[in-house]
Amino acid sequence: MAKRSRAFRLLIAAAVALALVVGAWSLLSEGIPPRTVTMATGPEGGDYAEFGKRYRALLAASGVDLRLAPTAGAVENLSRLRNPRSGVKVGFAMAGVSGAEASGLLSLGTIGYEPLWYFERTAGRGTAAEGIAGKRISIGPEGSGTRALALQILSLLGADRKGSGLLGLAPKEAAERLLRGEIDGFAMVASWDAPLVRELAASPHVSPTSLPRADAVVALNPHLTKVVLPSGVGDLPRDLPPKDVVLLASKSSLVIREDLHPAIQYLLLQAASKIHSGPGIFHRAGTFPAPEAIDIPLSEYAARYHTTGSPFLQRHLPFWLWVLAERLLVILVPLVGIAYPLIRIGPGVYQAVMQRRIVVLYGELKVLEMELENRPPGASAADLVPRLEALEARAGHLRVPLMYSQMLYTLKVHIQLVRDRLARRG
């Protein structure tokens, strides 16, 4: 019985220890969120670079240093995200250019429309895919989303690129050279809020040009959206642009490495809600950020955030205190799950164990008494005396809590009664 009692106590200790090990493993596997995170943005003067600065300011309020890594654009961002040695954990990407490079990456959702703008010198006023032969046109540097999307659309439209000078200038340099008349056209993927887009749309020397057969291109490429820039929106008094401009827009996404800590993902999602939820020229307020997985799978934390919002603790505690409380809950919840039923059934199990220690002796006493009764009259019962004495000695050495002493003393009285019967049998 002593061995069984020890085994029961060891079982409870092992269950608690297992819960601690599981909780500690969970804590160590996810770890404490990093205090420094690197974001791949884009070229200076573009949307991504401006967005990165706003994200950096918002994450700094929670004690996280968001370091910005300028790049050529969306294609290079994805390349850096795929490379674990680059140190980049988050970046901006454009739908339709990820392809096989999306492996190991997750999306936190789409954050806005980014039209493909094509600006020409005002004298041209043609369409973006017509008459490019012999012209000097910048479609963005290698690694930019602009270049990838522009080449894709030119190919779809069957544009003859023979003799054309497709340049790879950075957006700011290309805009300056277009305004000076040094190049003939300039393509750029950016939102309406980009400073370069606003500057060129209000200039009387250049004009945004409609993309031909936009509906057909969208039908062949569902990740694109047809949008219309109203006439006069660049400069209403001068009616610039002088007519509606049909554009093709891709949706940009906030992309992360799949191993980015969940707490940092929630911080980025909160920042995205503050930065991108307002109205725009091509969308209403509240349209973005959206839980869309166009060509990169959506993070489970992003799906949860867009459905239920931030975790309860994050809404009511400072960031690092929330992280600590969440990690502690990882350990405490399984412990409570084990401890609560043990608390409920523990006293009953303990009582049963203590009673059984006495009941077992009662069982042996009953066997002795039955053997005595089954002996014929006059038969010797001397062989039962040593067994009874051994049973009495065990009862005398039995240690039980005070509340079970009455049962033990009752057992000793009953042993004496059997002894008296043996004495009367001689």
Side-chain angles (χ1 to χ4, degrees):
M1 288 305 302
K3 290 182 179 179
R4 292 181 180 178
S5 178
R6 286 196 298 271
F8 177 74
R9 291 195 294 269
L10 287 174
L11 180 61
I12 296 177
V16 174
L18 179 62
L20 287 172
V21 170
V22 171
W25 180 86
S26 177
L27 178 64
L28 293 174
S29 64
E30 290 192 356
I32 301 300
R35 290 186 175 271
T36 301
V37 179
T38 301
M39 170 185 273
T41 55
E44 189 63 32
D47 279 335
Y48 295 162
E50 296 303 315
F51 287 152
K53 296 173 184 177
R54 297 177 66 182
Y55 276 92
R56 181 175 60 189
L58 290 172
L59 265 65
S62 297
V64 177
D65 179 18
L66 184 65
R67 297 181 179 177
L68 306 181
T71 65
V75 175
E76 184 180 345
N77 288 354
L78 290 169
S79 177
R80 291 200 184 188
L81 282 166
R82 274 197 314 126
N83 181 6
R85 297 183 179 179
S86 70
V88 173
K89 292 290 187 179
V90 58
F92 300 102
M94 190 173 65
V97 300
S98 60
E101 294 186 345
S103 59
L105 307 181
L106 295 173
S107 171
L108 296 184
T110 54
I111 56 176
Y113 288 117
E114 286 194 309
L116 174 63
W117 303 88
Y118 179 68
F119 292 95
E120 283 190 328
R121 297 291 297 178
T122 305
R125 294 198 182 279
T127 58
E130 295 174 354
I132 66 172
K135 292 185 178 181
R136 295 164 299 170
I137 299 171
S138 174
I139 59 172
E142 291 289 343
S144 67
T146 297
R147 190 177 191 88
L149 185 58
L151 290 176
Q152 180 183 359
I153 292 177
L154 286 173
S155 177
L156 282 172
L157 295 176
D160 184 8
R161 305 207 307 256
K162 294 180 181 179
S164 62
L166 297 181
L167 307 176
L169 304 177
K172 189 174 182 180
E173 180 186 357
E176 292 173 351
R177 292 182 63 174
L178 180 64
L179 289 172
R180 292 196 299 264
E182 297 175 3
I183 61 176
D184 303 302
F186 163 44
M188 176 183 182
V189 172
S191 71
W192 167 251
D193 295 318
L196 282 179
V197 172
R198 292 291 188 93
E199 179 184 354
L200 295 176
S203 172
H205 305 296
V206 298
S207 177
T209 304
S210 291
L211 290 171
R213 300 183 292 282
D215 290 321
V217 174
V218 171
L220 295 172
N221 293 270
H223 64 271
L224 296 175
T225 304
K226 174 184 172 182
V227 296
V228 177
L229 182 73
S231 63
V233 74
D235 190 326
L236 193 57
R238 292 188 292 175
D239 193 27
L240 296 175
K243 61 181 179 179
D244 292 351
V245 180
V246 178
L247 304 170
L248 292 174
S250 175
K251 288 183 179 179
S252 57
S253 301
L254 190 60
V255 180
I256 60 169
R257 285 188 57 83
E258 61 184 0
D259 58 355
L260 183 63
H261 195 283
I264 303 298
Q265 294 188 41
Y266 278 119
L267 281 184
L268 290 168
L269 287 163
Q270 287 180 326
S273 295
K274 294 179 180 178
I275 295 171
H276 307 290
S277 61
I281 193 171
F282 300 123
H283 66 271
R284 296 181 179 180
T287 303
F288 298 104
E292 296 176 296
I294 298 176
D295 47 10
I296 298 176
L298 191 66
S299 161
E300 62 173 301
Y301 299 101
R304 193 179 307 164
Y305 175 84
H306 288 293
T307 303
T308 61
S310 300
F312 175 81
L313 291 177
Q314 188 180 18
R315 294 197 299 267
H316 297 87
L317 294 175
F319 175 67
W320 293 104
L321 184 58
W322 159 63
V323 170
L324 177 61
E326 186 182 51
R327 299 277 68 77
L328 290 175
L329 285 176
V330 170
I331 298 177
L332 292 178
V333 168
L335 277 180
V336 171
I338 294 174
Y340 179 73
L342 288 178
I343 292 172
R344 292 292 304 272
I345 68 174
V349 173
Y350 179 75
Q351 181 180 1
V353 170
M354 292 297 104
Q355 289 179 345
R356 181 171 175 77
R357 297 174 68 184
I358 301 174
V359 170
V360 167
L361 297 181
Y362 260 116
E364 295 183 22
L365 181 61
K366 182 64 176 176
V367 171
L368 283 172
E369 188 177 23
M370 290 180 64
E371 290 186 24
L372 179 62
E373 291 177 351
N374 292 333
R375 303 262 173 117
S380 174
D383 59 308
L384 300 179
V385 174
R387 291 167 59 187
L388 183 64
E389 289 178 348
L391 182 61
E392 185 177 23
R394 287 168 59 191
H397 290 91
L398 189 62
R399 296 291 180 265
V400 295
L402 185 61
M403 64 181 299
Y404 301 104
S405 296
Q406 182 179 359
M407 289 183 62
L408 183 57
Y409 282 114
T410 302
L411 171 63
K412 292 179 179 179
V413 170
H414 292 163
I415 291 175
Q416 186 60 44
L417 290 175
V418 176
R419 179 184 291 280
D420 292 343
R421 292 185 61 187
L422 283 172
R424 288 197 297 270
R425 292 289 297 265

